[in-house]
Amino acid sequence: MKIKHQLAIFNALSRLLLILVLWLVLPVLVEKVVYNHINKSLLEKKQKFIEHLDKEEINDFIVRKDTSETYASFSTLHSEFLQLSRVSSNSKINQTLFITEPRIIEEEQNDYRILQYYFKYENTNYLLEIGNSLGEINDLTFVIRLFFIIVLIIIVVITFLADTFYIEYLLKPFYKIIDTKIRHVNEPEAFDHTPIITHSTDFQELDTVLNQMMDRISELFKKEKQFIANVSHELLTPIALLKNKFENLLQNESLDDEAVDKIVASLSTLDLLKKVIANLLLISKIENNQYEANETIDFDEIITDLVTDLQDRIEDRELTFHKKIEHHFSFRGNKTLMHILFYNLIVNAIKYNKPSGTIDVNDGFLDGSYFLSVSDSGIGLNEKQQQNVFKRFTRVSSEQEGMGLGLAIAESIAQFHHIRIEIKSEINVGTTFVLSFPNEQKHN
C-alpha cells in the first residue's frame, strides 16, 4: 500500500474515532442542554402558579378538607401536566427538586421531567408538580444525533478524498524520484541527474543526495569494469601462454610417460582454472549489468538446441528427456545468458540423476505468472543443501565433476532478467527448479 493511501486512511480512521467519541458523548451533552432548558421553563411556570394562588378556582380546591384530593391539569397531548396535592408535614418546605421518571396519565405512560415544589399555604402543606414530557425531546435528540452522524460521515468522505489528492500532490516529487532515479539505480550509466522540481526542501535534499550517491556508484562501476577487463587480460593471458608451452612440451619425443602424464595433468588444471576465471568474470559482468536484454527469447528453441547438444550425455546415462512447452511466451532478454541458464539447469539434472532416470521440462501459469520448470528423478537435496545450492563453489556431491558455479551463474542470470528461481527437492525422489517470469511480459 502506498504512503498516500496509508496517510489518508489514518486520517479517516482518526475522524471515525472522533465520530465514535462524539456519538457516545453527544447524548449526555444534548440531555444536559435540554434539561437545563426544561428546568428553566418549569421554574417560570411554577413562579406563575404561585403568583396566582389566590385565584378563585385554586382557592376552591384549597378550602376542601379532603386531603386525598388532588388537583391536576393536563395538556391535550399529555406533553405537559400540573398537579397540586395536599401532603403531610414535610421538611422540604420551600424547596424545589427536579426528577425524571415515567408517569401514567389517562392510561398512557410517558417519561417526564418533573419539578417538585413543597410549600405551605394557610398552614397546609402542598406539593406542586409540574411536568414536561420527554418523548418529543428524545425523538429530537435521536434526529439530532442521526443528522450529526450523517454530516460527519459526509465530512469524513470529503476530507478523505481531499487528503488523498493533497497527499498525492505533496508526494508527487517523491514518486517521481522513485520512478526516474531509484528504479534505475542498477543502471548508473543511464541514470538521470536532472533535478526534480519540488517546493519541499526534504525532497530537494533527497534528490541531491541521490545524485551524489549515483555519481559515486557510477565511478565505482567504471572502476569495477576496468578491473574486470584487467583481470581478463592479466590472468587469462598467462594461462594461455602456459598452456601453449605445455602443449609444445608434449611434442618433445624425449619425454618419458611419467613426464607426459604430469604435463597432461597440468593442462587439465589450467583448463579448470581458465573455466573458473571465466565463470567468475561472467557472474561479475552479469551483476554489473554489462549485458543487453533486448532480444526476443524462444524458450522452446533454446531447450530443443540444448537437448541436441547434450544428447550424448543423456544417452550415456540412459535418461529419458520429456519436453512439454505448451505456451508461446514472449520474453525479452539476453539470448546467450538464457542459453547458459538452461544449460546449467539441464546439465545439473543430468549429473545428479539416477541411471535410467527422467528429466522433465514443463511450462504453465501460476497466479497469473508464467513459469518454466526443470525436474529430475535424481538423488535430491536435504533442507540444508537447498539453502546453500545457489552459493558459489557449493557442490552437492564430491563424486561429480564441476566447480560449484553452475547454479550460482543460473541465479545471477535469473536476477538479471528479474526472474524468480526456486528449488523444490526431496531425497531420493528428485529436484525441481522453477523459473517464475515477470507479469509484464506477454504471452499467446
Side-chain angles (χ1 to χ4, degrees), residues 352-363:
Y352 297 103
N353 216 323
K354 297 176 181 177
S356 302
T358 59
I359 299 175
D360 296 282
V361 177
N362 300 302
D363 74 340

Side-chain angles (χ1 to χ4, degrees), residues 302-323 343 346-347 350 357 359:
I302 289 177
I303 294 171
T304 300
D305 291 343
L306 284 172
V307 173
T308 302
D309 295 339
L310 297 170
Q311 191 63 40
D312 292 341
R313 298 181 65 174
I314 294 173
E315 291 177 354
D316 288 343
R317 300 292 304 277
E318 298 181 347
L319 303 175
T320 303
F321 193 96
H322 299 119
K323 177 173 68 70
Y343 175 85
I346 295 174
V347 167
I350 295 173
I359 299 175

Side-chain angles (χ1 to χ4, degrees), residues 27 37 50 96 119 131 134 147 166 169 299 329 378 444:
H37 177 74
I50 297 300
T96 301
F119 66 95
L134 296 177
F147 174 77
Y166 183 63
Y169 168 76
F299 297 118
F329 185 75
N444 296 320

